[in-house]
Amino acid sequence: MSRPPAKTVHIKTYGCQMNAYDSTRMAELLAGLGYAESPAAEDADLVILNTCHIREKAAEKVYSELGTLRRLKQGRQRQGANMVIAVAGCVAQAEGEELVRRAPTVDLVFGPQTWQRLPELLARQQAHGAAVVETAFPAAEKFQALSQRKPSPRTVSAFLTVQEGCDKFCSFCVVPYTRGAEVSRAPADILAEAEALARRGVREVTLLGQNVNAYHGGGLSLAGLIDRLSGIEGLDRIRYTTSHPRDMADDLVAAHGTNDRLMPYLHLPVQSGSDRILKAMNRGHTVDHYLRLIERVRQVRPDMAISGDFIVGFPGETEADFAATLALVRAVSYASAFTFKYSARPGTPAATREDQVADDVALARLHQLQALITRQMQAFNRAQIGKTLMVLMEKPGRKPGQILGRSPYLQGVHMEAPESLIGQIVPVTIKAIGTNSLSGHYAPRARTDSVLAFPAPHGETTL
Ligand code: SAH
Ligand code: SF4
Ligand code: F3S
């Protein structure tokens, strides 16, 4: 008897790392149902768009993609095949039934907390032929599914969700509505997943959460969890993202000065440098609070790379408010940062304010801020030239003979070296900087010192 041809799934991911993590989990779950991953939508039996609702542009992209998929689906149907179209993630959660009304080609809608029900949802859709919409918030059920996962491909660096959701309700943001309330996973489940990853050769984990430093599972803080994870053999690098200034606890700051597996990179969004705007954003912290945090982190870890998120053009933002943001950026000096033009999101308090900033004004501010941050990023990168950094080599580079990895500061580093170094943490002497990455050469005999033992932010050597 010949085996039925394997079904194929194509997953397209938008938005943050939590979506990327969920997409990987969906692929693993579907592999168990006989679905092979297809790099193209054209010949897939099932297409999943794992969507993001954070800004209007992100949400609109989904509808234009659905237009393309509708034509592909019709083409397949003419040939007697079918294509099941599913919308997952935050647009699915926010729009629910509305998605099917606007795009009747959609067969399945499910939110970020319910992808573990995919087998059942697919069966229901196939049995009834009608669209199925699932937007419940069973976070505990999702975490349960995560702990039963069988990690698939061999990767060097992996994401690991430890916390979901947000209770902060910043006045511009949809996340508390799309991802639900803050929930932490049990430490034992996280440790088991990390151990399984390490056994498969993963050397680095990035702990994920919308407010990852608000983690509090089984009596452990994020620092406590990181401490436990540091005992896992082979797991040499630990990162976490995204943090909120209000949850940057003393023990987490201190861990950066004592734990050499904790990488010297901190993504700590501030959004604005004006206290007036921070208050209107309901951020719950001031500029001074943020700057003191950065200072304390740099005291324990002088070479810390600081990253952040900024929104320009929030309703009511004046030239003086924007100047205060530029001043904050100059005071911090970022290694990288993400800058966004405010996007009014339906259902959020800021969207109904009458003092919306004109689009051209917001755009001009965005460009100005981006230019400043690009200069800072280049200066940070340039400062690495001549240093020998420990680089975790992750994959082959774009050019033959090249391999690509990441520095402790999350910079991409490429060099000419054999692929056998992939998966290893090796000393690389930095020779030059490109637009978004560094290049160097393998320096097995170069001296590299841990900056934890020799704090010297502008010294010759670093971790
Ligand atoms: N939980 C994280 C960030 C989640 S969203 C935190 O609190 O830092 C990622 C980034 O998108 C935010 O930091 C913010 O800068 C940006 N963002 C969120 N809502 C936005 C909106 N309505 N318009 C523009 N940018 C937005
Ligand atoms: Fe959104 Fe604010 Fe929560 Fe971050 S802290 S996810 S910006 S509401
Ligand atoms: Fe987007 Fe949802 Fe992440 S709105 S940024 S995919 S939490």
Side-chain angles (χ1 to χ4, degrees):
M1 218 172 76
S2 66
R3 287 174 62 163
K7 290 186 175 179
T8 54
V9 56
H10 174 75
I11 307 180
K12 189 160 180 182
T13 310
Y14 304 81
C16 62
Q17 291 106 326
M18 312 222 33
N19 262 10
Y21 178 83
D22 286 348
S23 290
T24 312
R25 300 295 79 78
M26 285 186 228
E28 287 168 7
L29 180 70
L30 289 164
L33 296 183
Y35 282 87
E37 268 199 86
S38 154
E42 280 82 346
D43 32 51
D45 300 294
L46 170 62
V47 177
I48 303 177
L49 302 182
N50 196 8
T51 61
C52 174
H53 201 242
I54 202 81
R55 283 166 289 275
E56 191 179 356
K57 255 199 203 137
E60 280 310 312
K61 262 191 221 154
V62 175
Y63 284 101
S64 78
E65 186 68 29
L66 284 173
T68 311
L69 289 178
R70 181 173 50 88
R71 286 186 291 278
L72 290 179
K73 180 177 180 166
Q74 286 165 346
R76 276 176 69 88
Q77 283 171 336
R78 276 194 295 276
Q79 291 162 3
N82 192 22
M83 176 190 277
V84 173
I85 299 180
V87 181
C90 291
V91 174
Q93 189 65 42
E95 308 216 338
E97 301 274 355
E98 177 61 23
L99 245 162
V100 184
R101 262 193 295 278
R102 235 181 109 176
T105 190
V106 172
D107 300 296
L108 207 56
V109 177
F110 56 98
Q113 308 294 352
T114 46
W115 54 254
Q116 70 284 359
R117 296 185 182 170
L118 248 176
E120 170 208 329
L121 297 174
L122 280 168
R124 234 161 73 198
Q125 194 276 329
Q126 263 144 32
H128 305 296
V132 171
V133 177
E134 175 69 275
T135 51
F137 271 121
E141 180 188 305
K142 172 175 175 177
F143 284 169
Q144 178 69 19
L146 289 181
S147 62
Q148 286 157 0
R149 70 179 282 220
K150 294 180 193 63
S152 55
R154 201 193 116 87
T155 49
V156 173
S157 177
F159 291 137
L160 206 175
T161 290
V162 302
Q163 179 270 346
E164 281 251 0
C166 179
D167 295 335
K168 300 276 193 296
F169 289 93
C170 297
S171 62
F172 51 81
C173 183
V174 294
V175 171
Y177 311 97
T178 60
R179 291 267 169 175
E182 235 169 71
V183 197
S184 295
R185 265 179 95 187
D189 291 350
I190 297 167
L191 286 161
E193 186 170 341
E195 278 161 7
L197 290 168
R199 276 196 299 274
R200 280 162 195 268
V202 167
R203 305 289 305 271
E204 172 180 271
V205 283
T206 301
L207 309 178
L208 296 181
Q210 264 88 19
N211 282 294
V212 72
N213 56 348
Y215 178 83
H216 55 96
L220 283 186
S221 63
L222 183 66
L225 179 70
I226 289 170
D227 189 49
R228 300 278 289 276
L229 288 164
S230 303
I232 298 177
E233 206 187 314
L235 212 59
D236 293 304
R237 291 188 161 190
I238 301 172
R239 303 179 183 277
Y240 58 93
T241 198
T242 297
S243 296
H244 194 288
R246 267 161 68 187
D247 298 313
M248 204 64 210
D250 292 348
D251 60 348
L252 185 57
V253 173
H256 277 286
T258 53
N259 186 340
D260 61 4
R261 294 194 177 192
L262 191 53
M263 289 295 102
Y265 176 93
L266 176 64
H267 183 66
L268 194 63
V270 62
Q271 315 299 354
S272 168
S274 154
D275 280 337
R276 206 177 69 82
I277 295 295
L278 288 177
K279 193 155 189 277
M281 286 176 162
N282 192 31
R283 287 287 293 177
H285 62 80
T286 59
V287 170
D288 187 53
H289 172 88
Y290 182 82
L291 290 176
R292 271 187 293 122
L293 265 177
I294 301 291
E295 200 181 299
R296 284 175 45 220
V297 167
R298 281 184 168 150
Q299 259 161 18
V300 299
R301 187 79 212 217
D303 63 332
M304 188 73 118
I306 306 288
S307 167
D309 290 350
F310 291 87
I311 295 179
V312 298
F314 182 83
E317 186 187 70
T318 61
E319 277 304 322
D321 293 319
F322 177 62
T325 297
L326 294 176
L328 177 141
V329 171
R330 286 193 192 99
V332 171
S333 192
Y334 284 89
S336 75
F338 300 94
T339 51
F340 306 104
K341 185 157 70 77
Y342 170 73
S343 168
R345 306 307 292 124
T348 61
T352 51
R353 284 182 53 156
E354 283 174 4
D355 49 356
Q356 302 288 324
V357 172
D359 202 55
D360 56 337
V361 173
L363 196 63
R365 289 178 189 169
L366 183 70
H367 289 153
Q368 207 181 331
L369 180 61
Q370 275 170 344
L372 173 59
I373 285 169
T374 303
R375 283 199 299 280
Q376 293 189 342
M377 189 182 90
Q378 284 167 348
F380 183 84
N381 287 346
R382 209 173 304 118
Q384 313 301 328
I385 294 178
K387 289 185 184 173
T388 300
L389 303 180
M390 294 307 287
V391 178
L392 171 57
M393 303 316 308
E394 291 185 1
K395 55 184 174 195
R398 249 181 298 149
K399 292 190 199 139
Q402 243 185 20
I403 56 173
L404 197 70
R406 291 216 177 255
S407 78
Y409 314 110
L410 207 63
Q411 296 147 305
V413 179
H414 53 85
M415 65 169 176
E416 308 222 328
E419 288 196 8
S420 57
L421 290 185
I422 291 174
Q424 295 189 40
I425 299 172
V426 297
V428 179
T429 302
I430 304 304
K431 288 288 160 204
I433 65 164
T435 353
N436 290 313
S437 63
L438 312 176
S439 60
H441 63 70
Y442 182 38
R445 275 174 295 279
R447 206 179 98 91
T448 53
D449 296 305
S450 162
V451 88
L452 286 176
F454 306 97
H458 307 293
E460 277 302 297
T461 54
T462 183
L463 187 75

